[in-house]
Amino acid sequence: MLVLLPPSEGKAASGRGAPLRPESLSLPGLAGARAAVLAELVELCAADEEKAREVLGLSEGLRGEVAKNAGLLRAGARPAGEVYTGVLYDALGLATLDAAARERARSSLLVFSGLWGAVRVDDRIPSYRCSMGVRLPGLGALGAYWRGPMAEVMPEAAGEGLVLDLRSAAYAAAWRPKGETAGRTATVRVLHAPTRKVVSHFNKATKGRIVRSLLEAGAAPAGPAELVEALRDLGYVVECAVPEKAGQAWSLDVLVDEVH
């Protein structure tokens, strides 16, 4: 099982240890693309704070993020699972998983990123600010920029099992499963059962809980149909429609009574 996650806008501060070692990151086929994005982001933020703030879409209160980006090559790095914070990651609670579940997280979770393309939760990265929606002056829109490199590495990363895609639309634009891989991919919406509406906060929190539940249970569904059964066994209310054609992703709705 491969679980595709979005990053978080907010991030924990960089560590005090050794700085980034790009060659140590997972998915080495992305190395060249990562180097190009990193170089342009650092140069932009070191040269012109106001232009960088405009390009990155940062408010006045987030001006300090520009200086943080300018120092990425020197900043201490820490595991990505510690850098990413926010509602989904709080609910996932990587730090409180037992040893077996943490090992499953290291092998099955992949976090998409405007700067790195995608990283594993144990890849060591510095804290940064660069969403997939950013359009860098030299490289252009990052969602489009990453499509080529991701298309090269993701089929192998996806393997032959279930792909559970929990990314937001901006990050899904960087790679969309195709063909046989799409047929064993499941996307998830979280709906407030009484209103049948998606609400951002509990959508993210429930997705984090779903991933935690699967990791703790040691669940290894082979495909979307098995995922539906695994989630129901774990107490989730799941609705799904089997795709009409082969090579189409499954869409799952998880119904939640309370907004929390």
Side-chain angles (χ1 to χ4, degrees):
M1 177 176 67
L2 181 68
V3 182
L4 309 181
L5 297 174
S8 58
E9 284 295 319
K11 298 173 183 69
S14 292
R16 295 185 177 182
L20 172 73
R21 294 175 55 243
E23 69 278 7
S24 71
L25 298 179
S26 301
L27 305 181
L30 299 178
R34 286 168 175 154
V37 178
L38 179 61
E40 182 170 353
L41 181 63
V42 169
E43 181 180 1
L44 170 69
C45 291
D48 188 332
E49 184 178 273
E50 288 305 317
K51 181 178 180 180
R53 194 159 66 87
E54 179 181 351
V55 168
L56 297 174
L58 299 177
S59 66
E60 176 66 31
L62 294 173
R63 181 180 293 272
E65 299 292 283
V66 175
K68 180 168 71 174
N69 282 348
L72 282 173
L73 297 177
R74 303 182 302 275
R78 60 196 298 186
E82 297 177 9
V83 172
Y84 295 119
T85 59
V87 175
L88 188 154
Y89 289 91
D90 287 346
L92 173 51
L94 287 169
T96 60
L97 292 171
D98 63 32
R102 284 198 301 272
E103 183 58 35
R104 288 189 281 270
R106 282 191 284 270
S107 63
S108 64
L109 305 187
L110 195 63
V111 184
F112 273 60
S113 162
L115 175 53
W116 314 114
V119 293
R120 302 280 186 185
V121 292
D122 58 344
D123 284 335
R124 298 183 66 85
I125 60 172
S127 182
Y128 67 96
R129 189 75 175 223
C130 184
S131 73
M132 192 66 81
V134 164
R135 180 182 293 273
L136 291 176
L139 297 177
L142 291 178
Y145 170 81
W146 280 112
R147 284 176 199 152
M150 297 303 292
E152 293 294 321
V153 304
M154 283 304 300
E156 181 178 356
E160 298 181 355
L162 170 71
V163 178
L164 175 53
D165 190 352
L166 301 179
R167 298 172 297 166
S168 55
Y171 292 89
W175 180 68
R176 298 186 188 280
K178 296 180 180 180
E180 184 271 336
T181 305
R184 50 186 169 84
T185 296
T187 62
V188 173
R189 295 190 308 172
V190 180
L191 303 182
H192 184 216
T195 64
R196 311 291 295 193
K197 292 182 179 179
V198 174
V199 180
S200 178
H201 178 88
F202 78 93
N203 175 56
K204 294 177 182 178
T206 302
K207 286 179 177 179
R209 294 188 190 104
I210 285 171
V211 177
R212 183 182 180 92
S213 296
L214 292 169
L215 293 172
E216 288 182 322
E226 292 82 1
L227 173 65
V228 171
E229 293 306 312
L231 291 177
R232 287 173 176 166
D233 288 345
L234 290 167
Y236 293 94
V237 179
V238 182
E239 295 179 352
C240 72
V242 178
E244 296 181 357
K245 298 179 181 179
Q248 293 181 330
W250 290 47
S251 296
L252 277 57
D253 288 340
V254 175
L255 305 183
V256 180
D257 288 326
E258 296 181 2
V259 179
H260 59 90

